[in-house]
Amino acid sequence: MTWDSNKKCASSNQPRFDWRTNVLLVLCFLIKVVVVVDGLFVFPPTTVEPYPGLRLAAADKLKIKYTGRAFNAGDSASLPSFALSLDAEFGTLSESDFTKLMKIYSGWSETKSRVVYDPDRTFYLMDFLPPLLQATNGCHFRSSRTPTRNLLPSFLGGPNDTVKRFSDQEVLLVYNCWGFAWEVLFQADNADVSAMTISTADPTSAWRAFTGPSFDLIQSSETKPALLKLDNIRERNKKIQPGDVLLIWHRNPSTASGTDLYLDHVATCIDEDVYFEKSGSGDNVPFRLATWEMITKNFPTFVFVWEWRRLVRNNPLSPNLYGNVQRLQPASDLFGINSQVAAAERYVPPTKRNIQSRFSLLGDLAKQDDLLKSLSLQADLGEGGVVESQVYTGILLLEDIQFNEKTGRAYLPKSAFTPSWYQNVQQSLLQSSYR
């Protein structure tokens, strides 16, 4: 089974719980896990080539010269449209221009670039972006499957079926677009975060997180379709600033419960029509800097709705700026099963709460806080409350991102390329066992 970024993310313009796309009450526990993996991240072989189509409006306004370039992974990418990862070469810079670029491209994030000025060094756009983006640009993520034997509950079937509490299951550790985008924004909203969390939030939780009170809606193609015209660059970008988040979704009007929303993609704005994204959910797609044209090639504008949102603390016009909006929570707190349970209790309609009787293990699991933060559950519910599919996904905190002592440039820790760090995770899970 291959993880699909187009899995349903049912929601609506009003917060609610949607049983068709995500069973938030379906809980599990992970015990005595054996993990087999060669390493999570890989830098595919690439060729470097010019990319004259890259335009950096902020640099252009400052009259700072640059040349666009692309790292081409060729056949290592799953599709030709995922082969390129972009960057820009500025050459040597004056200290004044260096400071201006740093303010623009890293100023939106409280976890900032640590690159230091050197008058003799050739600088690149990546030097000015937050550390997480520096460290991941151009690499691929290799998902892993953790087989478990008679350890995880299966809820497949109808609400009156007996829960198969201990059955053969797999836990999928994967990184998709919104899991990565949330980590980018979490680090932007919390100063000096140097560790990296790998997560794939269940789609409903992801939608609720990106459209919650921590974000202001800036604009949407649903109300202004002209925003999506290729040549309408000025109108599309006049309200957008670096650090804004782009949500791409579509409607499905044919569901039994009415019109639902389906989240397809999330990316972070870097400059006008320039974004940073985890370009897909498969193993052979890059974390990359991409242009509007590159993104729309994978998500045609005539199919999807595009909307842009902004962190409250990055919006001086936000009515919540001095209010009680808390800083973004880490993925382990927001997307773990314990959080899913809390959300379910808030959003389950009273008419459907009889379904809760299936999940009597909630009381016991709620006491295993660390364990529940390490897992998310995604499930599709059909008519009659039948669970048609379910996927357990892991939430994993890596070691701290590393920094070059001389330049300050960020790079992934060595453990991201080896399986050795799984040993500590496995031991932690073993200690969490309460069977």
Side-chain angles (χ1 to χ4, degrees):
M1 183 176 69
T2 301
W3 178 256
D4 183 1
S5 64
N6 294 325
K7 291 288 284 186
K8 293 185 286 186
C9 177
S11 183
S12 70
N13 292 329
Q14 301 296 324
R16 67 183 177 86
F17 181 82
D18 194 320
W19 288 95
R20 288 189 55 83
T21 61
N22 185 42
V23 187
L24 293 183
L25 288 177
V26 180
L27 297 182
C28 63
F29 51 100
L30 177 59
I31 309 166
K32 299 179 181 178
V33 173
V34 178
V35 180
V36 178
V37 68
D38 293 326
L40 292 176
F41 291 87
V42 59
F43 281 98
T46 59
T47 58
V48 182
E49 56 193 49
Y51 194 86
L54 180 62
R55 292 289 180 266
L56 301 176
D60 290 340
K61 291 177 183 177
L62 294 172
K63 301 186 184 305
I64 298 176
K65 295 182 179 181
Y66 59 89
T67 56
R69 64 177 192 163
F71 298 89
N72 191 338
D75 294 339
S76 297
S78 59
L79 294 171
S81 58
F82 290 140
L84 300 185
S85 303
L86 305 183
D87 201 350
E89 181 177 333
F90 290 107
T92 57
L93 292 168
S94 68
E95 189 168 6
S96 174
D97 285 345
F98 172 88
T99 301
K100 291 175 183 177
L101 291 175
M102 189 66 74
K103 182 178 180 180
I104 291 170
Y105 291 119
S106 195
W108 54 273
S109 175
E110 293 200 18
T111 301
K112 301 183 184 302
S113 171
R114 299 187 188 182
V115 170
V116 295
Y117 179 67
D118 182 339
D120 299 320
R121 181 182 167 191
T122 295
F123 287 100
Y124 300 89
L125 176 59
M126 285 298 139
D127 292 319
F128 301 97
L129 299 183
L132 182 61
L133 280 60
Q134 294 177 15
T136 56
N137 189 47
C139 63
H140 292 177
F141 186 84
R142 181 183 297 158
S143 61
S144 65
R145 296 182 180 280
T146 301
T148 66
R149 189 169 185 82
N150 296 326
L151 297 173
L152 298 175
S154 170
F155 297 94
L156 297 178
N160 297 321
D161 293 350
T162 300
V163 176
K164 297 178 280 292
R165 291 185 58 173
F166 303 114
S167 60
D168 292 348
Q169 299 282 330
E170 286 186 324
V171 176
L172 179 63
L173 188 63
V174 69
Y175 219 175
N176 73 344
C177 58
W178 57 69
F180 177 71
W182 185 263
E183 183 65 12
V184 171
L185 293 177
F186 169 72
Q187 295 193 15
D189 205 32
N190 294 271
D192 299 324
V193 176
S194 56
M196 177 180 181
T197 300
I198 297 168
S199 71
T200 301
D202 72 276
T204 300
S205 293
W207 173 264
R208 187 158 46 239
F210 284 110
T211 60
S214 295
F215 294 89
D216 293 322
L217 176 62
I218 304 302
Q219 63 185 18
S220 172
S221 67
E222 191 172 34
T223 55
K224 293 185 177 181
L227 293 171
L228 302 185
K229 293 181 179 180
L230 180 62
D231 60 352
N232 201 4
I233 300 175
R234 182 176 181 181
E235 178 69 18
R236 181 166 53 251
N237 288 281
K238 68 180 182 180
K239 294 182 178 181
I240 306 305
Q241 67 183 32
D244 289 348
V245 61
L246 168 65
L247 306 182
I248 304 175
W249 51 272
H250 71 279
R251 292 187 180 276
N252 186 341
S254 61
T255 60
S257 60
T259 300
D260 291 329
L261 306 185
Y262 296 74
L263 183 64
D264 294 276
H265 192 56
V266 182
T268 306
C269 180
I270 302 301
D271 205 327
E272 293 186 5
D273 279 359
V274 178
Y275 294 85
F276 202 98
E277 62 173 356
K278 170 68 166 64
S279 54
S281 60
D283 286 4
N284 299 313
V285 295
F287 300 81
R288 68 176 183 177
L289 190 78
T291 64
W292 176 263
E293 290 82 0
M294 291 166 68
I295 295 178
T296 56
K297 185 176 294 186
N298 295 309
F299 299 95
T301 55
F302 62 87
V303 175
F304 301 94
V305 178
W306 302 60
E307 71 179 46
W308 291 260
R309 292 178 179 261
R310 179 174 302 158
L311 280 171
V312 166
R313 270 168 290 279
N314 281 345
N315 189 355
L317 302 179
S318 173
N320 297 317
L321 183 61
Y322 304 104
N324 58 0
V325 177
Q326 66 178 4
R327 294 191 179 275
L328 298 189
Q329 300 174 24
S332 58
D333 288 343
L334 191 64
F335 301 136
I337 287 179
N338 51 353
S339 181
Q340 291 178 301
V341 173
E345 293 174 349
R346 290 194 300 270
Y347 292 103
V348 174
T351 56
K352 293 185 178 181
R353 285 178 181 165
N354 62 316
I355 300 178
Q356 290 179 340
S357 61
R358 294 187 73 193
F359 312 112
S360 58
L361 66 159
L362 276 179
D364 292 335
L365 292 176
K367 302 174 183 177
Q368 304 294 320
D369 187 61
D370 291 341
L371 187 60
L372 295 180
K373 286 183 179 181
S374 68
L375 291 174
S376 287
L377 177 66
Q378 303 174 44
D380 288 330
L381 200 72
E383 293 184 5
V386 176
V387 181
E388 298 177 343
S389 66
Q390 63 178 43
V391 177
Y392 294 105
T393 60
I395 301 175
L396 190 60
L397 183 67
L398 286 176
E399 294 177 342
D400 287 353
I401 289 174
Q402 303 297 299
F403 296 89
N404 184 288
E405 293 183 0
K406 181 178 180 180
T407 66
R409 183 70 177 258
Y411 58 93
L412 290 172
K414 184 181 296 184
S415 60
F417 304 97
T418 65
S420 60
W421 63 272
Y422 272 109
Q423 297 173 3
N424 293 332
V425 176
Q426 182 180 357
Q427 183 62 34
S428 175
L429 293 170
L430 286 169
Q431 293 173 354
S432 298
S433 173
Y434 58 93
R435 270 188 74 176

